[in-house]
Amino acid sequence: MVQAAVWGGVASLSLFLGALIGIFFKIPKRVTAYIMAFGTGLIIGSATFDLLSEASGNANIIHVTSMFLLGAAIFTAFELWISQKGGSQRKRSKKNPHNHSGLAIYIGTLMDAIPESIIIGVSFLGSQSIQWVFIAAIFISNFPEALSSSIGLKLDQYSTKRILILWGSVVVVSSLSSLLGYTFLQNAPESIEYIIGAFGAGGLLAMVSSTMLPEAFEEGGPMVGFISAAGIILSFIFTNL
């Protein structure tokens, strides 16, 4: 139980670290884009090779497919709402053109972090193999997200203290979400655990496709395709070790 909470927090700790670097150091946008592309590849690979592959043969294929698409649909619906409120640029290091978009950026980040953390908590259940590749993927992908978003929040006149409090609270919520995922599902049937993983995989793939990849390509150019592919194959290698 403690492990689930700790690793849920560790995976999101890179949000806080990325915010610190984004505020106090000037990182070339191309470097940020490459990190984001690599993290995107790791997430795609982990969601496919870990979450979906483990569900194969352990849960009804119709249930897995339905939950995967439901996860993608719910994320997309929230993304549409967040975009209308001014949070569509939460992963971009530009001044947000919308007024009062800070709360939308924060909610959007929580929307990304909570399902990720729940999956981490579920992976610590006895019947599951711990998704170390998934944890690493979330850690790496969170870093450029916070770095870019913090630069944007700073341009929107948010104080350093306020920005760090926002990201710090996401780390705490992520840790609690991981703990809750472990606690509430520890007595659930094994098939439910895999179905939850499929739901999270759908949401994660929708997230990286609509937010991370467009930003990475815009700032990093065609090279992000190869870097993303490198992240995917590395995830595949680690999954099969």
Side-chain angles (χ1 to χ4, degrees):
M1 180 183 296
V2 175
Q3 271 193 318
V6 169
W7 284 107
V10 167
S12 294
L13 185 61
S14 55
L15 287 168
F16 193 80
L17 298 177
L20 285 173
I21 293 175
I23 292 170
F24 295 109
F25 299 93
K26 186 174 179 60
I27 305 297
K29 290 184 178 180
R30 189 172 295 271
V31 172
T32 303
Y34 289 163
I35 297 173
M36 188 175 292
F38 186 69
T40 296
L42 283 175
I43 287 180
I44 292 173
S46 182
T48 303
F49 305 131
D50 282 340
L51 301 179
L52 285 180
S53 292
E54 288 200 2
S56 178
N58 292 298
N60 184 288
I61 188 63
I62 296 177
H63 294 162
V64 170
T65 302
S66 299
M67 291 301 288
F68 176 84
L69 293 176
L70 179 62
I74 289 178
F75 177 86
T76 301
F78 272 110
E79 185 68 24
L80 289 170
W81 179 74
I82 293 282
S83 297
Q84 292 175 350
K85 299 298 181 181
S88 61
Q89 305 291 312
R90 65 183 181 278
K91 297 179 189 291
R92 297 173 182 263
S93 53
K94 302 174 182 177
K95 190 177 190 302
N96 202 306
H98 303 280
N99 292 325
H100 309 297
S101 61
L103 182 59
I105 291 173
Y106 177 71
I107 292 174
T109 303
L110 281 178
M111 183 183 68
D112 299 338
I114 289 175
E116 296 167 354
S117 301
I118 291 174
I119 295 170
I120 291 174
V122 171
S123 76
F124 279 87
L125 295 173
S127 57
Q128 290 265 43
S129 60
I130 297 173
Q131 312 285 359
W132 297 114
V133 176
F134 181 72
I135 293 173
I138 297 305
F139 185 91
I140 293 172
S141 66
N142 278 338
F143 180 82
E145 174 182 346
L147 193 155
S148 294
S149 297
S150 295
I151 294 172
L153 287 171
K154 196 71 175 176
L155 292 173
D156 280 342
Q157 306 303 313
Y158 275 69
S159 67
T160 297
K161 180 180 179 181
R162 190 177 181 186
I163 294 172
L164 293 179
I165 288 175
L166 285 175
W167 293 123
S169 66
V170 174
V171 175
V172 173
V173 170
S174 297
S175 181
L176 292 175
S177 297
S178 185
L179 178 61
L180 289 174
Y182 178 92
T183 301
F184 284 104
L185 292 172
Q186 60 181 330
N187 296 318
E190 183 178 352
S191 60
I192 297 298
E193 299 167 16
Y194 291 113
I195 289 174
I196 292 295
F199 176 85
L204 287 173
L205 290 176
M207 182 267 287
V208 298
S209 298
S210 62
T211 58
M212 293 181 68
L213 276 180
E215 163 75 354
F217 181 79
E218 182 179 328
E219 301 294 348
M223 274 298 295
V224 302
F226 178 81
I227 295 172
S228 297
I232 292 173
I233 196 61
L234 184 63
S235 176
F236 177 78
I237 291 170
F238 282 135
T239 301
N240 289 277
L241 287 178

